[in-house]
Amino acid sequence: MAVLPILTVPNPLLRKKCKEVTVVDDAIRSHLQDLEDTLLATDNGAAIAAPQVGILLKLIVIKLPDGGILKLVNPRITHREGKQEVVEGCLSLPGKFGYLVRPTLVRVEALKENGEKTVINGTGFMAKCLCHEIDHLSGIVFSDRVTQWLPDEEV
């Protein structure tokens, strides 16, 4: 499909709340494929959300540890548990990394790219990715949650 340009802070589109997808159709699947293509074209991206490429819809794509791709429509966190201090970066803040606290476990309800409902229990790294990308859908950038920035030379 297409590798799209990734928006960077302070682009105002990154602060917009995304719209719920009402129908999962070929246009939505095309957006998800563009997100996947864009993510795979990055050097170090673990996941991407639609607003990072200027699409204000609730869509995220995550690279799975086994090499697979998870595409979610209208993801929402329905349960959080525990706390973990993590280091995060963001494709929309290139070269910046910081510490922040995320849940150790999250339960996310969403639709798959075929429109089928799914529930995902993410722990550790997956919990971090899900929280990070779902934040983007509400106009929240990880820098809003950073407790301490890493110096550039530690990256």
Side-chain angles (χ1 to χ4, degrees), residues 3-155:
V3 174
L4 303 173
I6 297 172
L7 305 180
T8 56
V9 170
N11 190 303
L13 289 178
L14 294 168
R15 296 299 186 170
K16 300 278 186 187
K17 291 188 182 206
C18 292
K19 293 179 182 170
E20 193 101 356
V21 173
T22 55
V23 177
V24 181
D25 57 13
D26 287 343
I28 294 302
R29 284 185 280 279
S30 178
H31 286 319
L32 288 165
Q33 187 60 53
D34 289 347
L35 285 169
E36 178 182 351
D37 293 346
T38 303
L39 177 61
L40 294 177
T42 68
D43 291 333
N44 63 350
I48 193 167
Q52 292 180 274
V53 295
I55 300 168
L56 296 178
L57 295 172
K58 291 185 176 185
L59 306 171
I60 65 172
V61 173
I62 299 173
K63 281 188 207 174
L64 299 173
D66 66 4
I69 296 288
L70 179 63
K71 298 176 183 179
L72 298 177
V73 177
N74 298 333
R76 65 182 184 89
I77 297 171
T78 59
H79 178 77
R80 302 168 192 263
E81 219 172 274
K83 289 183 181 179
Q84 61 175 332
E85 184 177 60
V86 297
V87 173
E88 287 187 19
C90 182
L91 296 171
S92 293
L93 280 110
K96 298 291 183 191
F97 295 86
Y99 291 101
L100 59 152
V101 176
R102 295 284 192 191
T104 53
L105 177 139
V106 293
R107 180 170 300 119
V108 172
E109 293 180 4
L111 300 174
K112 296 180 184 180
E113 65 182 315
N114 62 5
E116 179 183 327
K117 289 182 182 179
T118 188
V119 175
I120 297 158
N121 290 305
T123 60
F125 181 78
M126 181 58 77
K128 173 178 89 164
C129 281
L130 287 163
C131 289
H132 181 112
E133 300 312 322
I134 291 170
D135 271 355
H136 272 299
L137 304 180
S138 295
I140 299 167
V141 181
F142 95 103
S143 57
D144 298 338
R145 300 193 188 278
V146 167
T147 57
Q148 181 182 350
W149 288 101
L150 267 70
D152 290 342
E153 59 272 7
E154 288 188 31
V155 176

